[in-house]
C-alpha cells in the first residue's frame, strides 16, 4: 500500500446527490481535472469509494 493517493476530479458534481457534492469538496477538489494528494487511510478511501464515479485514483 502506498502512503499517499492522487485523486483527480474527472466529472462535474453539478447534477449529483448533495451529499456526494459535499464529499468532493471535503476531498479538496474544486474544479474538473484538478488533482490533490491525500493520505492513504480508511477515511479517505471511504470518501473516494463513495464518489468513485466522479474521481480517478492513483497510488503515489
Amino acid at each position: 500500500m502506498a502512503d499517499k493517493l492522487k485523486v483527480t476530479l474527472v466529472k462535474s458534481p453539478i447534477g449529483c446527490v448533495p451529499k456526494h457534492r459535499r464529499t468532493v469538496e471535503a476531498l479538496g477538489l474544486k474544479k474538473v481535472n484538478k488533482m490533490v494528494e491525500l493520505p492513504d487511510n480508511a477515511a479517505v478511501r471511504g470518501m473516494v469509494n463513495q464518489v468513485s464515479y466522479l474521481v480517478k485514483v492513483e497510488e503515489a
Side-chain angles (χ1 to χ4, degrees), residues 13 16-29 47 50-51 54:
C16 299
V17 180
K19 184 176 180 182
H20 292 184
R21 197 174 310 140
R22 289 192 304 269
T23 301
V24 168
E25 289 176 13
L27 286 169
L29 297 167
M47 292 167 71
Q50 187 178 28
V51 293
L54 297 174

Side-chain angles (χ1 to χ4, degrees), residues 5-57:
L5 293 175
K6 288 183 179 180
V7 182
T8 307
L9 185 63
V10 294
K11 187 172 184 262
S12 174
I14 287 175
C16 299
V17 180
K19 184 176 180 182
H20 292 184
R21 197 174 310 140
R22 289 192 304 269
T23 301
V24 168
E25 289 176 13
L27 286 169
L29 297 167
K30 305 233 182 241
K31 296 183 178 184
V32 177
N33 292 327
K34 294 299 177 181
M35 188 262 310
V36 293
E37 284 194 11
L38 299 167
D40 187 7
N41 57 33
V44 172
R45 286 218 178 235
M47 292 167 71
V48 166
N49 191 28
Q50 187 178 28
V51 293
S52 61
Y53 62 100
L54 297 174
V55 298
K56 178 178 75 170
V57 181

